[in-house]
Amino acid sequence: MIPVSQALAHAIHDLPLQPVETIPLTQALGRTLATHLASPLDHPLFDQSAVDGYAFRFADLATHASLRQVAEVRAGSTAQVSIGPGECTRIFTGAAVPVTADTVIMQEYTSVQGPEVTLADERLKIGGNIRRRGEQIEEGAVALRTGETINPATIGFLASLGIKKVTVRKPVRVAILVTGDEFAASSDDLKRGKIFESNGQMLQSALTRAGITAEFRMVPDDFPATVSLVEIAAEKNDLLLITGGVSVGKYDFTRPALEDNGFGIVFHKVNQKPGKPLLYARRGDQAAFGLPGNPRSVLVAFYHYVLPHLDARLGKVAIGRPQLALPLAHDYRKKDDGKAHFVTGTIKAGRAAISPGLGSHMLQSFARATILIHLPGDQSTYTAGTSVTVELLPQ
């Protein structure tokens, strides 16, 4: 068995980057930027008012009791407005500030008598309530960097810069193979000894959340059939995820089927619980994970190894789920087996609370969890307040 840190290092090391493509910005949600993206313009594009109010020259406050309104500027107006000494213009949020004005006062701090406007904001300073040209970003500056993920805010930001297309990494092509003879085809087929399939559906949905569309196929506990389906899956995919058949039992064919298809085993068995039988293999630029059959083990392996592997292939800045250190909410004792344990939990009042129901076949507590807690193998007793590393789970 190898330690968790070494297994993770293998899973993200020396991976080829996905090819690139240029697509419309509106289709880029969740994709990874493949190049630095420079702003084609200043943003804001011009000095604009941050509030509804009046634009004026700040120096006039020292010499005028009130200012005379001489114009009105609405958002979107292209009129060239100029104000002189003792004058102001009505202005609205987002409107261009006249070049001869240097300050805007909120309308709530004014009183109006005909064309005369009296100002009453003692806290106002020169330049107040003006969004300066290029304040957010200047023309030519980097708007987004290679490896950043495009999210809804990203799309809004780039759209505001007039950017309509982006160059991104193509998604990783993934095939899911679910091995086993124990799965019932339907409720009518649910005889003693049969169970419902869940791993394929779970991995499929986890990949969908990661921006990857993948189908899963069932594989019987038969060596020739497993070899054949691995061969077929490897023809068109960058990564294979095979659940079950990864131990060393009579009907565990994942490892020999991969080896028969030219995959070299990088590691097999990790010093952790759950997920000890985890396998990772490579064939050139292709990779395969042999995941344990127990569903909790599958999901732990996905978040801690498979997702970082996918991120590395996409050249992402952030690899894997975000991590932080939190104090434990209560005392806890794990089995003194020398293994690193991954346990689910929730954050309560800024502390990590470990969930009940941690068996490798149990998913209910995982379904309600918000964090995955890492407990190293060299410690078995934890007291409340002990700092632990937690991995934030997607919600």
Side-chain angles (χ1 to χ4, degrees), residues 234-251:
E235 286 178 357
K236 296 181 179 180
N237 292 283
D238 307 304
L239 176 65
L240 309 185
L241 301 180
I242 308 173
T243 72
V246 76
S247 293
V248 290
K250 181 178 179 181
Y251 299 102

Side-chain angles (χ1 to χ4, degrees), residues 175-179 183 196-208 214-218 241-243 291 293 295 298:
I176 305 167
L177 300 178
V178 179
T179 71
F183 303 113
F196 288 121
E197 193 287 320
S198 61
N199 286 336
Q201 298 172 69
M202 183 170 64
L203 283 173
Q204 188 179 48
S205 62
L207 288 167
T208 298
E215 299 296 326
F216 69 92
R217 298 188 63 173
M218 308 298 295
L241 301 180
I242 308 173
T243 72
L291 307 173
V298 169

